[in-house]
């Protein structure tokens, strides 16, 4: 089961007040239904590939309007061959559309009025309905955080965007072919959105996966940094050993100043040691302390002397 399906299954179980039912139905009916006209009058036809979404529509219609809907299942013959759940509302279609502010005396509306979602709880219910109708969210186990809701018109997409901004969810808009997409990519805002639409269990799942991945990414970065530092130290040590070879081939370490000579002998004896380890070894050998910068300075002197021989 995909993470999107899990989220939809959870929010489809939430109990709603009468006004929240109206707001949620308004989003779902507007976003995944069409109108058909027959000799029996105007019908609303709701289609969804998600069983929980279809069940939610059917249940809310029955609870709010006491209407009996016709439910059927169609098997797609292309691509994934998913089931398509079809709900046909024969009776009270016009009254339902007017109550949901999808149809008025002026005709079909691109979105309901602001009054429908004036209350915070109703706005949350509307967003939950929009997600049930056409929302999707990447699994938190993937590297790419992404949540989106698609709408057929730009006006409806902007309406959804305004509802999200009420809850400090800075959604962006993009047109993808014939669809208008409202999307959020910031992981913390996706978590806030899940909390907003009442997907509490999904929030815990999302946050747990996000924290684990961020932790592992931090460890990986630390490991990469340590490996890079180790490679850098090994390369520097190799160059220092080469400098010592030049000095020994063309003269002798005995000609070096005493302190430089000790550093050269230690580097030859401990080719894999870091600067800090060389400082400790120097202190053990001479009973004198030396800083890391001091050790770098003396190794630099070795390089200068070796360069003189190279020239």
């Amino acid at each position: 089961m995909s993470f999107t399906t899990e989220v939809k299954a959870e929010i489809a179980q939430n109990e709603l007040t009468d006004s929240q039912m109206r707001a949620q139905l308004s989003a779902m009916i507007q976003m995944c239904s069409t109108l058909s006209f027959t000799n029996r009058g105007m019908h609303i036809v709701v289609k969804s590939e998600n069983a929980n979404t279809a069940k939610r529509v059917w249940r809310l219609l029955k609870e709010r309007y006491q209407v009996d809907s016709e439910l059927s299942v169609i098997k797609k013959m292309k691509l994934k061959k998913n089931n398509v759940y079809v709900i046909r509302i024969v009776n009270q279609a016009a009254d339902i559309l007017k109550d949901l502010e999808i149809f008025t005396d002026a005709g079909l509306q691109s979105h309901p009025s602001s009054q429908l979602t004036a209350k915070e709880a109703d706005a949350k219910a509307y967003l939950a309905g929009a997600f049930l109708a056409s929302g999707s969210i990447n699994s938190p186990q993937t590297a790419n955080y992404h949540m989106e809701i698609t709408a057929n018109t730009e006006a409806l997409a902007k309406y959804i965007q305004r509802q999200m901004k009420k809850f400090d969810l800075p959604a962006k808009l993009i047109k993808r072919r014939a669809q208008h997409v409202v999307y959020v990519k910031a992981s913390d805002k996706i978590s806030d959105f899940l909390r907003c639409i009442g997907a509490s269990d999904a929030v815990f799942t999302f946050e747990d996966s996000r924290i684990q991945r961020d932790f592992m990414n931090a460890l990986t970065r630390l490991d990469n940094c340590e490996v890079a530092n180790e490679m850098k130290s090994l390369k520097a040590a190799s160059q220092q050993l080469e400098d010592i070879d030049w000095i020994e081939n063309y003269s002798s370490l005995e000609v070096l100043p005493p302190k430089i000579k000790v550093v050269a002998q230690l580097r030859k004896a401990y080719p894999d040691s870091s600067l800090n380890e060389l400082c400790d070894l120097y202190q053990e050998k001479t009973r004198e302390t030396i800083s890391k910068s001091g050790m770098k300075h003396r190794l630099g002197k070795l390089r200068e002397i070796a360069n003189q021989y190279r020239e």
Side-chain angles (χ1 to χ4, degrees), residues 3-16 20-21 24 27-28 50 52-53 55-57 59-60 124-137 147 149 192-203:
F3 188 61
T4 296
T5 302
E6 291 177 9
V7 173
K8 291 185 178 183
E10 181 179 359
I11 60 179
Q13 300 301 316
N14 292 337
E15 294 298 324
L16 303 176
Q20 289 170 345
M21 285 185 197
Q24 194 163 108
M28 290 192 290
N50 185 276
N52 289 296
T53 300
K55 190 185 298 182
R56 184 67 158 179
V57 172
R59 178 189 166 194
L60 294 184
K124 289 181 178 180
Y126 185 91
L127 288 174
F131 186 82
L132 279 167
S134 63
S136 65
I137 182 170
M147 186 285 299
I149 298 173
D192 289 343
F193 175 79
L194 291 172
R195 194 176 290 107
C196 174
I197 62 175
S200 302
D201 292 344
V203 172

Side-chain angles (χ1 to χ4, degrees), residues 37-43 70 88 90-91:
F37 296 88
T38 68
N39 55 3
R40 293 192 292 170
M42 180 171 65
H43 300 169
E70 299 175 3
R88 185 179 296 273
V90 178
N91 300 319

Side-chain angles (χ1 to χ4, degrees), residues 216-270:
M216 292 305 298
N217 287 342
L219 284 180
T220 301
R221 286 193 294 271
L222 183 61
D223 287 344
N224 290 342
C225 183
E226 289 178 350
V227 169
N229 288 338
E230 184 70 21
M231 294 299 294
K232 187 177 179 181
S233 296
L234 291 174
K235 183 178 180 181
S238 177
Q239 292 174 341
Q240 292 154 10
L241 289 169
E242 184 181 336
D243 293 338
I244 294 169
D245 285 343
W246 272 91
I247 294 171
E248 287 186 316
N249 288 336
Y250 284 85
S251 182
S252 167
L253 295 183
E254 299 301 324
V255 302
L256 297 174
K259 293 182 177 181
I260 305 296
K261 175 184 172 183
V262 172
V263 169
Q265 290 172 336
L266 287 173
R267 174 46 84 197
K268 273 195 73 176
Y270 303 96

Side-chain angles (χ1 to χ4, degrees), residues 111 151 153-163 173 180 182:
H111 58 78
T153 66
E154 184 179 8
L156 181 56
K158 287 183 176 179
Y159 182 84
I160 295 170
Q161 183 186 40
R162 288 197 296 273
Q163 304 313 307
L173 293 179
H180 296 269
V182 186

Side-chain angles (χ1 to χ4, degrees), residues 151-152 154 173-183:
N152 291 326
E154 184 179 8
L173 293 179
I174 188 174
K175 187 174 182 181
R176 185 190 299 148
R177 295 184 289 278
Q179 298 289 323
H180 296 269
V181 182
V182 186
Y183 69 93

